[in-house]
Amino acid sequence: MPVKVAIIYYSATGSVHALAEAVADGAATAGADVRLRRVAELAPGGAIDENPRWRRHADATASIPEAAVEDLAWADAFAFGTPTRFGTPAAQLKQFIDQAVELWRDGALADKPVTAFTSAFNRHGGSEATILSLANVFYHWGALIVPPGFTDPAVYAAGGNPYGTSATGPRDGDGLDPATLDAARYQGRRLVRVAARLLAGDAAPALTGTASGTV
């Protein structure tokens, strides 16, 4: 059985969407069954219309299915993507995550590997802080965080973010740096490899019970 990976993201103008597609490509290359899902937009249409790039991206990705909590229940592993908002995840992604409380309470998110990626307009715009902020959610879930670390030359070539792939810009509309997309593909492959190893040992006793129970 292939590893089932849910790649769930929010993207306003397209940078995180490009990363999500690259992570999905890497995961699929590693043999995973992939669901690429965007979370629901919360911003009003008027605000989107004021930014031509935002409107173009919203229209271009309208056919991508919206994420549902069922996607989390289905998956063996997760990858979450978000632009940085003052060093924290975008409200749209956080709103989706907050819907997962029942799965968390049932322990259905525990012991599943998870990774994260992000984008900021500036090089020091809060990328690392955003990924670390998302990690707080994963700690509560009891999920197993799978960072890219310094485990492959692709990480170094993309700027060396061991927490998760982070894009900058683009400022000129030409798309993301190819090295950054390569790092995202590697992150997707790494997630699948780790998940496959965990599934291979799935006959072992569970590490956790329900969220309100004891270890």
Side-chain angles (χ1 to χ4, degrees), residues 6-7 9 19 27-28 38 69 79 97 106 120 133 140 151 159 162 164 178-179 197 213:
I7 299 171
Y9 74 97
L19 290 175
R38 59 182 178 86
V69 173
I97 287 173
D106 292 341
S133 179
H140 281 254
T151 58
R197 290 179 180 179

Side-chain angles (χ1 to χ4, degrees), residues 118-206:
T118 188
S119 174
F121 187 72
N122 298 300
R123 184 175 299 277
H124 301 290
S127 294
E128 292 181 1
T130 297
I131 293 175
L132 292 172
S133 179
L134 267 177
N136 289 326
V137 174
F138 308 148
Y139 297 142
H140 281 254
W141 285 359
L144 306 177
I145 299 174
V146 182
F150 292 112
T151 58
D152 190 89
V155 177
Y156 291 91
N161 189 338
Y163 304 100
T165 305
S166 56
T168 302
R171 298 175 185 272
D172 54 11
D174 290 337
L176 299 185
D177 176 27
T180 301
L181 296 176
D182 284 344
R185 294 184 188 98
Y186 168 70
Q187 190 170 349
R189 294 194 302 272
R190 177 170 164 79
L191 178 67
V192 172
R193 287 200 299 266
V194 171
R197 290 179 180 179
L198 290 169
L199 290 173
D202 200 39

Side-chain angles (χ1 to χ4, degrees), residues 90-114:
Q92 289 86 344
L93 183 65
K94 183 60 166 60
Q95 192 265 354
F96 172 78
I97 287 173
D98 287 347
Q99 298 176 48
V101 63
E102 294 297 332
L103 290 178
W104 163 77
R105 186 174 292 123
D106 292 341
L109 303 173
D111 305 333
K112 292 186 177 184
V114 59

Side-chain angles (χ1 to χ4, degrees), residues 10-15 38-62 83 85 90 92:
Y10 173 71
S11 186
T13 58
S15 292
R38 59 182 178 86
V39 299
E41 180 60 81
L42 302 180
I48 298 173
D49 290 338
E50 289 178 1
N51 184 331
R53 289 183 60 202
W54 196 352
R55 170 48 64 194
R56 284 196 300 271
H57 179 67
D59 292 344
T61 57
R85 295 290 187 262
Q92 289 86 344

